[in-house]
Structure formats: C-alpha cells, structure tokens
Amino acid sequence: MRRVRDRIDREYARPLDVLELAREADLPPRFLTRQFRRAYGASPYDYLLTRRAERARTLRLHGAAS
C-alpha cells in the first residue's frame, strides 16, 4: 500500500485510476481499495482528491511558482 500511496503523492497531477494502480500493485481493484482504506482511512480516489485539494490550497496561499 505504501507504494500506491507514494505514487499518488508523486503523480497527483496526472490522471490516475484505481485499475492502473491495482495493476501496478498486482492486486484486484476491490482488494486494493479495501486494503488502502484500511491502511490510510480513505479510498485511493479520496486520498488523491485530498492531495490535489491540499496542493491547490498551498498554491492559492503562497502563489504559483514561476
């Protein structure tokens, strides 16, 4: 699960989907989602949305780097 979380953290700006993440983790999508939620308290999709929202908040507060 850590590799999946790290990938989401690294590539939050890219389009990611559970099928792609599950394929990389060599797990069925439902099992990945269930295990990820158990480990991090949110589904992979919710975790991704949270990372994107945090990044947007940071950019809004500090301005976009040129």
Side-chain angles (χ1 to χ4, degrees):
M1 291 304 106
R2 183 172 291 168
R3 284 188 319 204
V4 173
R5 187 200 63 195
D6 290 345
R7 178 162 181 214
I8 292 171
D9 288 340
R10 244 187 353 267
E11 300 178 20
Y12 67 88
R14 276 190 62 235
L16 294 171
D17 64 23
V18 172
L19 291 176
E20 181 182 342
L21 295 171
R23 209 170 311 133
E24 183 178 303
D26 198 29
L27 296 170
R30 286 185 183 211
F31 186 72
L32 170 74
T33 299
R34 198 173 318 129
Q35 292 299 96
F36 194 93
R37 184 183 306 275
R38 204 173 274 151
Y40 299 108
S43 70
Y45 183 72
D46 289 340
Y47 185 84
L48 173 62
L49 290 180
T50 299
R51 289 294 165 256
R52 287 177 176 167
E54 288 172 354
R55 179 65 179 153
R57 203 174 304 117
T58 299
L59 288 174
R60 194 176 57 211
L61 289 173
H62 302 288
S66 17

